[in-house]
Amino acid sequence: AGTVCLGMDAQGKEIYVPFNELVPMVHPNDILVDGWDISGMNLGDAMARACVLDYSLQKQLRPHMDSIVPRPSIYCADFIAANQEDRADNVLTGTKQEMLEQIRADIRDFKEKKNLDKVIVLWTANTERFCDIKEGLNMSAEELLNSIQNNEEEVSPSTIFAVASVLEGCTYINGSPQNTFVPGVIELAEMEGVYIAGDDFKSGQTKYKSVLVDFLVGAGIKPTSIVSYNHLGNNDGKNLSSAKQFRSKEISKSNVVDDMVESNQVLYGDGKGPDHTVVIKYVPYVKDSKRALDEYISEIFMNGTNTIVCHNTCEDSLLASPLILDLVILAELCERITVQLDAEPSLAGSTPFSAS
């Protein structure tokens, strides 16, 4: 839905065109979907359980969804909340090396059976706890591959998926806030020339926060206290009710404020950012309609203060789904872009790693 301003016509009116009319982009209708899940429920039943789409739309989609069953996925109980165990009925067994090889085989199977030009893998699963980053474990590609071979407990499922994607030459996009891209993954992606990107979708409160804080700091208004409260009732909220998984999300929400502080040494000359508190509560009744309440207190001219209080009802899945399509389409476009500088002998792509 994004547009680009081309300039003005003879009457001084600005002319806008859709972005996909300027560069050759894949049409969403040409994208085929497959995937993994620790729950073996078919997508029709999963759609009904999630209560995201209205009933009439579910009735229209049901015939197309019932036949789609996810492939078995990687379940390491220590990385997600214990309350997810009751969903884990569709899991891979064996060592982490064996699971890595199975994910690679699944990617090849999907590509061959559907006669696809390419595959892009995108993580939309539960938020994991942060994994350790240390010498001998994952500081280099060699260390990481050895750790997987040795079945090290501290290698997360999302990292195994990332490694499998890179080894199959597939762009990997991370839609959750955990530290999937350990140094070994980044080095492996650079070695293989494969794109990896992302550290959370930031489609609701976090996106709103990044826009508002950017506006305030850009206007010379200094946020000194930011308090954010959320409650939600979907499975994401259930998983985030666990302290370790919540911590991953808390770091992601805090990072958008840290970036703004670092961008303005006039307001934050001492490097000390605002007091920033994030609260997330699980309330099953509200399902996917996340409630977000924020209070921003800022210092203004002549020792004055400015307070903004806002309430935002965020339909989590419906806000994230268009981003998923956009990310896949843009990633595919980036794979086809090459540049050649004067001193370089041939065309080449850009740096394989990007943070969103």
Side-chain angles (χ1 to χ4, degrees):
T3 60
V4 178
C5 181
L6 293 181
M8 297 183 179
D9 61 15
Q11 287 72 45
K13 181 181 178 181
E14 291 183 328
I15 303 298
Y16 292 87
V17 298
F19 189 62
N20 61 10
E21 292 183 8
L22 292 180
V23 291
M25 304 175 78
V26 171
H27 194 282
N29 290 345
D30 294 327
I31 298 174
L32 298 183
V33 178
D34 200 334
W36 306 264
D37 201 308
I38 62 172
S39 170
M41 185 178 288
N42 71 69
L43 295 197
D45 289 341
M47 174 178 63
R49 178 177 64 181
C51 300
V52 172
L53 304 179
D54 63 70
Y55 181 68
S56 62
L57 185 54
Q58 287 189 41
K59 286 182 63 177
Q60 297 175 62
L61 292 173
R62 192 78 191 230
H64 306 283
M65 304 284 275
D66 282 344
S67 61
I68 304 176
V69 178
R71 299 170 186 259
S73 191
I74 302 172
Y75 176 61
C76 297
D78 182 52
F79 278 93
I80 58 176
N83 57 35
Q84 299 299 302
E85 184 178 5
D86 60 345
R87 288 190 177 220
D89 59 5
N90 188 45
V91 301
L92 294 173
T93 58
T95 67
K96 291 189 175 180
Q97 182 65 43
E98 291 169 338
M99 290 189 281
L100 170 68
E101 296 301 333
Q102 183 59 56
I103 298 301
R104 294 185 65 181
D106 288 343
I107 293 172
R108 293 193 297 269
D109 176 71
F110 177 48
K111 186 175 183 179
E112 291 166 7
K113 285 185 177 178
K114 299 297 184 181
N115 193 27
L116 304 175
D117 294 323
K118 61 181 66 175
V119 173
I120 292 171
V121 179
L122 187 145
W123 175 277
T124 63
N126 277 328
T127 297
E128 298 172 336
R129 67 164 175 83
F130 266 46
C131 64
D132 291 340
I133 298 177
K134 60 184 180 182
E135 295 289 343
L137 176 68
N138 51 24
M139 293 301 292
S140 69
E142 182 181 8
E143 286 181 359
L144 179 58
L145 293 174
N146 286 337
S147 294
I148 295 173
Q149 179 69 50
N150 296 332
N151 206 34
E152 292 285 351
E153 291 185 2
E154 202 56 25
V155 179
S156 69
S158 64
T159 293
I160 296 174
F161 271 97
V163 170
S165 301
V166 170
L167 292 177
E168 290 300 317
C170 303
T171 292
Y172 182 87
I173 302 169
N174 175 39
S176 294
Q178 69 272 344
N179 59 342
T180 298
F181 297 144
V182 296
V185 171
I186 297 173
E187 181 178 282
L188 184 65
E190 291 174 340
M191 290 166 55
E192 299 292 331
V194 176
Y195 284 106
I196 58 173
D199 65 353
D200 199 6
F201 287 139
K202 300 180 177 68
S203 57
Q205 184 189 55
T206 313
K207 182 63 178 177
Y208 182 90
K209 181 179 295 182
S210 64
V211 171
L212 184 55
V213 173
D214 182 47
F215 160 73
L216 292 171
V217 172
I221 297 171
K222 181 182 179 180
T224 52
S225 172
I226 302 173
V227 180
S228 300
Y229 165 85
N230 309 252
H231 68 260
L232 66 163
N234 56 17
N235 195 53
D236 183 36
K238 186 177 181 181
N239 182 62
L240 290 174
S241 64
S242 175
K244 290 182 180 179
Q245 286 68 37
F246 165 71
R247 179 57 182 155
S248 295
K249 192 70 174 179
E250 184 180 35
I251 291 171
S252 173
K253 287 178 174 287
S254 298
N255 284 346
V256 298
V257 176
D258 296 339
D259 292 342
M260 291 303 103
V261 171
E262 293 176 4
S263 72
N264 194 314
Q265 298 303 308
V266 176
L267 293 180
Y268 298 101
D270 57 1
K272 183 181 182 301
D275 293 336
H276 188 196
T277 299
V278 177
V279 178
I280 300 178
K281 295 296 182 181
Y282 177 52
V283 182
Y285 180 80
V286 301
K287 297 184 173 63
D288 207 59
S289 296
K290 180 173 69 177
R291 271 61 165 181
L293 295 89
D294 296 85
E295 179 189 72
Y296 299 81
I297 302 175
S298 305
E299 293 179 358
I300 57 175
F301 186 59
M302 299 294 286
N303 293 327
T305 59
N306 171 259
T307 301
I308 299 173
V309 179
C310 54
H311 175 274
N312 183 11
T313 299
C314 317
E315 299 291 338
D316 253 15
S317 299
L318 299 182
L319 286 168
S321 296
L323 291 181
I324 291 172
L325 279 174
D326 284 349
L327 288 167
V328 170
I329 292 168
L330 289 172
E332 193 282 329
L333 173 65
C334 289
E335 290 181 351
R336 292 184 280 115
I337 296 175
T338 56
V339 295
Q340 183 178 7
L341 301 178
D342 292 339
E344 294 179 343
S346 60
L347 291 166
S350 58
T351 303
F353 176 76
S354 175
S356 64

